[in-house]
Every structure is written in structure tokens, then in C-alpha cells.
């Protein structure tokens, strides 16, 4: 039996930082409204020439250095993104080329803000089955490019960034302990970017749409349920969890999951204020931040959980 251990993590944020006050010069909003409703204070925005793959590569290089391995050692690259560089090829193939390696399997997963949960679960399955030994799992997004910058209901919420994890196979127990994924396409209409390119023109609305209150209610319930289920199925209790690393969308949703598990907020990694919602990048960004700040220690048990468009959601328990 093989176990998928985290060998290293890395993350990257574009240089340009946009505060709530900066946003209040573009749309009718305020720092007070954004902070009190979401917990977000600032977000990073990719430079015009920066592609999702550039953010992904920067995070991946840091994760590889952290793991002490060469890009050549990787035998699978999975990129979770809903903002690929182009319709095809997969951003993972572009990342592979930019890392200067060739031949290993590379593909994207598209599960919006749950993307990293889906990517990590897929990587775990490859390692457990013996199909891969070293996997680069990346969440990378340039959500700023999906936003209608005149729509204050959405443009204040999102940011750009990338986070990466290098997983390695080991015969020693530990690493990823249990994973759980769910989806329910009946709720696709409450969070979507319905436009697409067809016959050379944009067909449908090309901007992100969200019914915030419907998403909020769905997220609170679904995350509480999946967190309880994944803990129970792992044969654990909430008391065994050292850190929750949640998707960073709304402080009140994060608090609600912690409250449901009866865990204090000082056991939760929250990067929302600095990052905003970076979709598939948010969990690996928070994970890397918690590790690099020296809060998350080797041997500790982590609960990662995320939810987003689809609807798709998932949770992973692992020993770091
Ligand atoms: O990553 C995927 C998961 N996404 C989420 O989990 C997001 C979940 N939803 C939310 O986080 C919240 O629903 C929001 C933060 C998006 C919105 O907060 P809310 O408390 O649900 O506000 P609301 O949509 O009910 O809007 C309340 C008021 C409205 O004004 P009226 O109609 O009451 O006069 C909005 O027009 O706030 C207004 N509003 C704003 N005001 C200032 C909406 N956006 C803004 C804004 N600045 N940026």
C-alpha cells in the first residue's frame, strides 16, 4: 500500500495588491461593507502579461524547492483551474513546458473553488494505486479576468494567485488519510460563468454570476455535512483535527464550519483578508501560508475543505 505524503508546498501572489479602498474608487462600495460582509481587506491582481500558468509555475517552483526535488522527478502534473490560459491545451501541459520537463502525464481538473480538493483526491488515487510516485498538484487562478468590474456584488470578492503541493509516494502510513468529493449539478445556476466561445464569438454572458445568498446558505450546510462525514469516515473525531484549512470565500462561512465542529477559530488558517477568494488556489495558498508562518507543524492533522460552482465540494484529511 502506498501513502501520499506532502513533500513540499509553495505559493505565489501577483505583485499588484488592490485594497477595498482602491475598489471603492471603481464601484459603489466601501471598506466597511466588504470587511463586515466577507472579511476581505485586499486581493492580488495578475499583471496583463501574466497567465494562470505563470502563477502556477511560480508556485510549483517554490513547492519543488521546498520538497528538495527536481521538476524531472515529477511523473504527474494536475492543475485545478477555472481560468485556463486558453480553451485548450490544458494549463497543466503549459506548466509542464514552462517547468522545462517533458513526457509526464499532465491534465487540468475543473471544479471551480473545490478544484484543489478534486485535484488532491485524484493525485492521492494515482499514488495509492501505484500509477504515480511524485505528483505536482497546483491550484491556480486569474479570476480577476472573469469579473465584471462594474458589478459590486462580485468584483469585490475575488483575487488571483496560485498554490502548489508536491506529493510523494511512501510505504509509511500518514499523508492523505481520507478524501470525500460531492457534486450536485441542480445548483449550477447560482454560481456560474455561462459564456463560451462558439463560432468565433462569445455565446452567453462571459462574466461571473453569483446569487450570493443562495451560495452562502448552500455552502454553510454542505461544508458542515462533508466535514463531519470525512472526519467520521477517517475514524476520527473533530478533537483529532489540529488545523482546518478552508476555502477562503467568506469569514462567516469559515466560522460556521469551525462552530459546527466545535473547534476554536485559532485552529483555522484564515488568509481571506489578504488574498480574497482565489477559487482553486485558495486552499493551497492558505496551506502554504500556515506552513511558512510556522503555525502548521509536521505530524499535525489537517482538514482541508472547499466548495464552489457546479455545485462541487470536497474535503481531505491528511497528516502533514
Ligand atoms: O467561492 C464560492 C463560494 N462563494 C461564497 O461562499 C460566497 C457566499 N456568499 C457571500 O459571501 C455573501 O452572500 C456576499 C458577501 C456575496 C454578499 O453578502 P450578503 O450579506 O448576502 O449581501 P446581499 O447580497 O444580501 O446584499 C445586501 C445589500 C444589497 O443592497 P440592498 O438590496 O439591501 O439595498 C446589495 O446591493 O448589499 C448591497 N451590496 C453591496 N453594497 C456595498 C452588494 N454588494 C455590495 C458591495 N458594496 N460590494
Amino acid at each position: 500500500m502506498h501513502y501520499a505524503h506532502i513533500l513540499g508546498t509553495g505559493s505565489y501572489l501577483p505583485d499588484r495588491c488592490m485594497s477595498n479602498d482602491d475598489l471603492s474608487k471603481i464601484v459603489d462600495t466601501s471598506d466597511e461593507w466588504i470587511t463586515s460582509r466577507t472579511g476581505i481587506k485586499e486581493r492580488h491582481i495578475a499583471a496583463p502579461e501574466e497567465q494562470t500558468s505563470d502563477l502556477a509555475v511560480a508556485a510549483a517552483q517554490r513547492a519543488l524547492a521546498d520538497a528538495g526535488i527536481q521538476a524531472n522527478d515529477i511523473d504527474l502534473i494536475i492543475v485545478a483551474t477555472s481560468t485556463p490560459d486558453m480553451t485548450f491545451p490544458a494549463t497543466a501541459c503549459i506548466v509542464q513546458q514552462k517547468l522545462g520537463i517533458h513526457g509526464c502525464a499532465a491534465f487540468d481538473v475543473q471544479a471551480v473553488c473545490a478544484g484543489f480538493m478534486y485535484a488532491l483526491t485524484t493525485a492521492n488515487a494515482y499514488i495509492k494505486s501505484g500509477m504515480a510516485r511524485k505528483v505536482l498538484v497546483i491550484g491556480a487562478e486569474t479570476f480577476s479576468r472573469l469579473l465584471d468590474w462594474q458589478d459590486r456584488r462580485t468584483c469585490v470578492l475575488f483575487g488571483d494567485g496560485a498554490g502548489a503541493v508536491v506529493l510523494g509516494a511512501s510505504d509509511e502510513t500518514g499523508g492523505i488519510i481520507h478524501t470525500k468529493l460531492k457534486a450536485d449539478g441542480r445548483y449550477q445556476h447560482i454560481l456560474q460563468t455561462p459564456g463560451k466561445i462558439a463560432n468565433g464569438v462569445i455565446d452567453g454572458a462571459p462574466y461571473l454570476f453569483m446569487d450570493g445568498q443562495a451560495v452562502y446558505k448552500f455552502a454553510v450546510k454542505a461544508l458542515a455535512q462533508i466535514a463531519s462525514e470525512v472526519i467520521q469516515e477517517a475514524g476520527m473525531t473533530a478533537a483529532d483535527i489540529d488545523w482546518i484549512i478552508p476555502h477562503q470565500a467568506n469569514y462567516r462561512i469559515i466560522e460556521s464550519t469551525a462552530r459546527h465542529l466545535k473547534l476554536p477559530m485559532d485552529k483555522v488558517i484564515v488568509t481571506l483578508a489578504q488574498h480574497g477568494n482565489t477559487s482553486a488556489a485558495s486552499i493551497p495558498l492558505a496551506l502554504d501560508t500556515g506552513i511558512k508562518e510556522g503555525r502548521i507543524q509536521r505530524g499535525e492533522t489537517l482538514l482541508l475543505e472547499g466548495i464552489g460552482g457546479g455545485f462541487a465540494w470536497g474535503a481531505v484529511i491528511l497528516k502533514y
Side-chain angles (χ1 to χ4, degrees), residues 28-29 33 37-38 113 152-153 156-157 191 210 212-213 215-216 247 249-250 252-253 277 307-308:
D28 181 15
T29 191
W33 192 96
R37 302 274 176 152
T38 70
C113 302
R152 67 177 184 173
R153 291 168 304 167
V156 305
L157 304 174
L191 177 53
M210 178 165 71
Q213 290 207 356
V215 170
Y216 186 96
H247 171 49
N250 183 305
R252 291 178 290 149
I253 297 176
N277 181 347
I307 187 161

Side-chain angles (χ1 to χ4, degrees), residues 106-243:
F107 59 85
D108 290 359
V109 302
Q110 216 277 40
V112 203
C113 302
F116 197 73
M117 297 297 84
Y118 272 71
L120 209 52
T121 298
T122 306
N124 183 46
Y126 268 79
I127 286 178
K128 272 174 97 167
S129 66
M131 284 171 66
R133 290 202 60 80
K134 290 204 170 47
V135 185
L136 181 55
V137 191
I138 307 170
E141 301 279 18
T142 47
F143 251 56
S144 62
R145 294 180 186 150
L146 291 182
L147 301 174
D148 175 354
W149 287 94
Q150 293 179 340
D151 178 8
R152 67 177 184 173
R153 291 168 304 167
T154 52
C155 76
V156 305
L157 304 174
F158 296 91
D160 302 335
V165 164
V166 177
L167 290 179
S170 167
D171 296 333
E172 280 181 32
T173 57
I176 295 180
I177 295 168
H178 193 59
T179 67
K180 194 165 185 84
L181 300 176
K182 295 193 188 195
D184 192 336
R186 286 175 301 177
Y187 297 91
Q188 58 183 280
H189 60 284
I190 61 174
L191 177 53
Q192 57 180 195
T193 302
K196 62 178 184 292
I197 300 289
N199 305 314
V201 290
I202 296 168
D203 176 15
Y207 294 120
L208 182 148
F209 165 82
M210 178 165 71
D211 176 345
Q213 290 207 356
V215 170
Y216 186 96
K217 283 183 202 143
F218 191 99
V220 164
K221 230 168 113 184
L223 289 175
Q225 193 184 9
I226 203 165
S228 289
E229 285 174 3
V230 79
I231 289 171
Q232 196 191 359
E233 289 171 14
M236 296 179 166
T237 69
D240 296 315
I241 304 297
D242 294 303
W243 294 102

Side-chain angles (χ1 to χ4, degrees), residues 2 11 20 26 57 66 77 81 99 132 149 202 232 264 277 289:
H2 307 289
S11 59
N20 291 346
I26 303 173
V57 166
D66 193 41
I77 301 171
T81 188
L99 285 173
W149 287 94
I202 296 168
Q232 196 191 359
N277 181 347
T289 303

